[in-house]
Structure formats: structure tokens, C-alpha cells
Amino acid sequence: MREGDLIAALLLLLLGIALGIGVTCLLMVVHFLKKGRLANRPRLRSMNLLARERRLHAPIFNVPSRWLAIRSGNPQLVQAALGLNNPTPCSWEEGLTAAHEHKLFISPAIRGWVLVMGSNLPEPGDDVDRCFRFVMELSRKLGQVQFFSLNRAVNHHAWVQAEFGAVQRAYAWAGKTLWNQGAMTRGELDLGLKCHAYGEGEERVDFGRPDPAALNTERLPLLASRWSLDPTSIDARLLRENQGIAGQLSRSKAH
């Protein structure tokens, strides 16, 4: 074989080897990209589902300042026990507007609970005795009644759990302890809530540590979710097909 033919054959051989290596590398890249897409597909699907769930389960309203959670499937029974004047069926949006206009809004039953919201509910910081009488009277009529109150501006807060006219657990704080009755529940302990004994004043806040009153206020909806129902967790889809009831609390109950 002549020298020129040998060089040409070697060049063709090198070209073939280079092409073979290139094709092999390309196939490997395609393989790993495909494998990566397949591996990420469940994660992407999960992320998409999570995003969809967040949209579907977005809270319909913010935390109310005061609300009741009553173990019942009958809003009309709650209405009768409260003795509302001029009860009117209404949507959630209408009811929440009414709740800011010195009226009460009674929700439809949700997972075995009926919520009651409105500025006419007693404020423990104003009159804790009135709050006690109100919850006890309602509990004697309806059984299990829970009361929640919070004021983020000053970090006042209260939670009460009563059953058939007896207090199971109650705590109210408004710069000092107004009401502390019964043993702390598992929900309070798990959430790290701080409950002062009677006569204890507000702790001096260490700037290196969170304010206990502020933590209690922020975690109160979490306690509500453990005891019964957190209003901010309600799925808007559950509200579209059912109406609540709005009305005015009778003067004798409001004062």
C-alpha cells in the first residue's frame, strides 16, 4: 500500500472513531436528560397539586377578633339558643359584613361545628364576668361550646372550653390574668402557650426572646384547630352551597 493510501485510511479510521465517540456521548446525554425528567415528573406533579390545593383551600377570611365554636350540626338550634332578633339567611360574604356591624353571623355546620362571629360577642378584657355568664348559659343549652378572643394590637387573648354549663378549661389575659380555670389541655402544652397564674403581671420582655403574650395571640388559631375548627382553615368550596344566618343579639344578652 502506498504511503498516501495509508495516511488516508488512518484519517478515515480516526474520523470514524471520533464520530463513534460523539454519537455515544450524545446518546448518554439524551439518556440522562430523559431519566432526569422522569425522576422530576412526580416532584413537579406534586408541586403542581400542592399549588392547586393552596389555591382551592385559600382562607375565605382572616382571623376574626372573637368567635364561638359550637359542637352542633344545626345552625337554627344555635340561633334559637342565642335568641337572635331578625334572623336572616345570608351568604358568607354578607354574614361577615354583618359581623362587623354589631350583628352576629352563624355559619352553616362544618365538620360537626357551627361558628358564630361578630363584634357583639363579649370582650373578656371589658367584662370577664359577662363573658363567663354568656358562655355558661350557651353551654347549658347547647352542650360543648368554645370561645376564642384575640386583639393583636395589644396581644390580649382568651380561650374557653365549656360543656353542659361546666368550664373544662379557660384562660383570659388582658395585661394580667383575668381568668385561669382548669388544667392546661394537650393542645396548649404542645403549642407552648404561656398561662400566668392569678396576680402575675406582664413579664418584662427580653429583646432576645419572643413576647409570650404575642406568641399566645399568634398561636390561638392553632389552638382552635386542635380543639375544634380554625376559621382561617375553612375551604371556600364548602361555603358556596350553604348559607348562614345573620341577626342581632338581644339587648339582654348583649349587656
Side-chain angles (χ1 to χ4, degrees), residues 126-245:
D126 293 338
D127 189 342
V128 70
D129 291 330
R130 180 197 160 219
C131 182
F132 169 81
R133 292 192 300 270
F134 179 85
V135 175
M136 290 305 99
E137 180 183 355
L138 205 57
S139 177
R140 281 190 287 270
K141 295 177 179 178
L142 296 173
Q144 189 172 157
V145 174
Q146 298 172 8
F147 171 82
F148 302 93
S149 175
L150 61 85
N151 184 331
R152 283 199 170 98
V154 290
N155 291 324
H156 293 177
H157 49 270
W159 49 84
V160 182
Q161 190 179 81
E163 192 163 355
F164 297 106
V167 175
Q168 307 299 312
R169 172 65 179 143
Y171 182 73
W173 168 268
K176 63 180 180 179
T177 298
L178 303 176
W179 188 4
N180 191 348
Q181 185 174 354
M184 291 186 70
T185 63
R186 173 54 56 187
E188 292 169 88
L189 295 171
D190 288 345
L191 292 170
L193 302 181
K194 173 66 174 178
C195 297
H196 298 281
Y198 288 109
E200 289 184 354
E202 186 173 5
E203 293 181 347
R204 185 171 182 173
V205 178
D206 182 349
F207 289 104
R209 297 181 180 179
D211 178 6
L215 284 177
N216 281 5
T217 304
E218 289 300 319
R219 293 174 182 174
L220 192 147
L222 297 176
L223 178 64
S225 70
R226 293 184 178 229
W227 279 11
S228 52
L229 189 66
D230 173 9
T232 66
S233 70
I234 298 172
D235 186 347
R237 293 176 299 178
L238 299 175
L239 312 179
R240 297 189 184 112
E241 298 179 358
N242 299 298
Q243 287 189 317
I245 304 168

Side-chain angles (χ1 to χ4, degrees), residues 47-58 235 237:
M47 290 176 65
N48 289 335
L49 286 173
L50 180 59
R52 191 179 304 121
E53 287 294 308
R54 284 174 176 167
R55 290 194 298 271
L56 290 174
H57 294 275
D235 186 347
R237 293 176 299 178

